[in-house]
Amino acid sequence: MPKFGIEFVPTDAYWKVVYHAIQAEKAGYDYVWITDHFNNRNVYVLLTNIAIYTNRIRFGPGVTNPYMLHPIMTAQSMASLNEMAPGRVVCGLGTGDKTTLDMVGIERAKPLSAVKEAVQIIREITAGKTVKLAGEVFKVAGARMNFKSISRIPIFIGAQGPKMLSLAAEIGDGVLINASNKKDFEDAMKYIKEGVEKAGKKLQDVEVVAATSFSAHEDIAKAQKAAIPVVAFIVAGSPELILQRHGIPIESANKIREAISKGMFKDAFGSVTPEMIEAFSISGTPSMCIEKIAELAKIGVTLFITGSPIGPNVRNSINLISKEIIPHFK
Ligand code: F42
């Protein structure tokens, strides 16, 4: 049975996200993840408030990256949060969204090394050790914090490419996969198994996380309509290989990409097809969602995240998920 997580993109005021996190805790979710992009609300301001206003749910950035914020600072933030909410903090780390890093002129050089070295730095610093590392990306010349984390902080690595998936399974406590369709998870599992073997671990040692674009409503049309804007952005940002896997013509994706880049959102959203919604989201009635979640669990997903849009109305959809979907898996 998969555990449940919820992901919020903090485009809304901080209090609204915190309100939904409190609601998610009451709804029976196990994890809340806050995405990290410079152009949204600050992830640590939100996580601090979530630490204060919740009691049980585990939480963390989903995901931060080692380019925008030095891993030393991520480690410090994680350990400080873990003092506020003992044992509830998890660290989501990835190579970072290229588009937003490009906007501030930060190059995503050597992503595999950056993630690997960041994990080492975060693990050692939070454990109270002195870090000395002459890495390919990070040079740390004997750094140590004056305090250490009160417990070990699990690191979940955001991954999509084959090498990152394998690395994530090898060194991470969890692999966070941004996808919603079973084809993507069938493919990802090959690389996850590779990484697990490389590390001499068992598959059960690694949490396989589906970070989905999710939309639940009793009315299927309403659920799918709410998913359209998110799906449009996913299609626009998807590499050719992924589009091919789902039988989405490159020309259709290019049309959406072009419309988004010109700010013509109505045109972009109007070009989203039912096939795209099927490929890049889980949207529909509770029973349809249950079927899809069960399918992913069968493939190997152990933690299921309901991500943006969650539903036409976030509050109502959390209630619906709490009543009709989560109990099915408990
Ligand atoms: N990104 C954010 O910025 N914020 C978020 O909140 C966020 C959430 C999130 C949640 C789940 C998830 O799966 C991803 C998420 N992301 C988020 C995106 C994440 O940060 C990454 O952008 C995303 O996972 C895509 O990266 P990737 O894992 O596919 O890795 C990329 C870089 C890639 O191309 N990987 C290749 C692969 O096969 O895995 C390998 C690339 C390679 O070989 N690089 C070489 C090297 O040495 O590293 C050479 C590269 C060079 O420098 O020439």
Side-chain angles (χ1 to χ4, degrees):
M1 291 291 156
K3 292 178 270 298
F4 277 82
I6 193 161
E7 177 195 88
F8 297 114
V9 182
T11 46
D12 283 322
Y14 88 93
W15 56 266
K16 214 169 179 179
V17 180
V18 175
Y19 173 87
H20 286 142
I22 297 167
Q23 202 201 347
E25 176 170 78
K26 290 189 180 138
Y29 277 97
D30 307 292
Y31 289 86
V32 54
W33 303 90
I34 306 295
T35 62
D36 186 10
H37 300 94
F38 81 87
N39 43 4
N40 293 330
R41 271 57 170 190
N42 179 272
V43 69
Y44 295 108
V45 171
L46 280 153
L47 294 174
T48 304
N49 276 279
I50 290 169
I52 294 168
Y53 290 106
T54 61
N55 299 302
R56 174 193 59 80
I57 202 159
R58 307 184 85 187
F59 61 85
V63 301
T64 187
N65 72 77
Y67 298 106
M68 192 67 111
L69 191 68
H70 195 289
I72 288 274
M73 298 308 292
T74 301
Q76 182 210 43
S77 308
M78 292 289 116
S80 303
L81 278 169
N82 205 31
E83 205 167 80
M84 298 180 73
R88 291 204 283 139
V89 174
V90 286
C91 178
L93 179 85
T95 184
D97 170 51
K98 189 171 182 315
T99 313
T100 38
L101 287 173
D102 279 349
M103 282 179 198
V104 286
I106 294 178
E107 193 199 339
R108 240 179 22 171
K110 301 207 176 299
L112 296 164
S113 301
V115 167
K116 195 171 176 182
E117 291 167 18
V119 168
Q120 183 185 340
I121 293 168
I122 296 167
R123 288 231 170 98
E124 291 184 1
I125 285 278
T126 52
K129 294 182 183 160
T130 301
V131 179
K132 272 192 191 160
L133 175 69
E136 276 196 85
V137 180
F138 295 105
K139 318 275 178 219
V140 186
R144 192 175 194 278
M145 290 198 306
N146 297 327
F147 73 110
K148 64 176 184 177
S149 173
I150 61 160
S151 62
R152 183 181 179 279
I153 295 168
I155 301 181
F156 287 61
I157 300 173
Q160 261 133 356
K163 289 184 189 158
M164 195 65 83
L165 283 162
S166 173
L167 177 72
E170 183 190 340
I171 64 171
D173 296 281
V175 186
L176 267 167
I177 308 156
N178 236 350
S180 304
N181 191 282
K182 68 173 184 178
K183 286 185 195 164
D184 298 310
F185 290 94
E186 280 161 355
D187 189 66
M189 286 312 290
K190 293 187 278 193
Y191 306 109
I192 291 174
K193 283 177 185 156
E194 243 175 56
V196 162
E197 268 170 36
K198 201 168 168 197
K201 299 194 283 195
K202 295 196 194 84
L203 191 55
Q204 303 91 278
D205 297 335
V206 177
E207 205 81 79
V208 178
V209 191
T212 69
S213 167
F214 191 87
S215 181
H217 195 277
E218 289 98 340
D219 180 339
I220 173 174
K222 285 189 181 157
Q224 293 187 339
K225 189 173 172 212
I228 286 174
V230 182
V231 169
F233 277 95
I234 299 174
V235 171
S238 288
E240 222 172 295
L241 184 84
I242 303 284
L243 296 169
Q244 274 167 2
R245 182 183 296 158
H246 296 289
I248 310 280
I250 308 295
E251 308 77 59
S252 318
N254 283 343
K255 202 172 148 197
I256 293 177
R257 201 172 288 146
E258 215 172 285
I260 288 180
S261 72
K262 289 184 187 149
M264 293 158 66
F265 297 111
K266 213 175 155 198
D267 289 352
F269 301 163
S271 304
V272 170
T273 62
E275 290 74 28
M276 292 173 184
I277 296 174
E278 172 67 21
F280 296 116
S281 75
I282 291 185
S283 34
T285 61
S287 62
M288 289 166 76
C289 295
I290 286 171
E291 199 180 307
K292 293 266 171 77
I293 297 167
E295 245 173 34
L296 297 192
K298 220 167 150 192
I299 294 167
V301 168
T302 59
L303 168 53
F304 183 87
I305 299 182
T306 59
S308 205
I310 301 166
N313 173 294
V314 174
R315 184 168 166 268
N316 293 348
S317 290
I318 294 176
N319 283 338
L320 186 67
I321 294 163
S322 148
K323 285 199 193 87
E324 310 251 342
I325 299 180
I326 295 179
H328 182 88
F329 294 96
K330 293 276 172 187

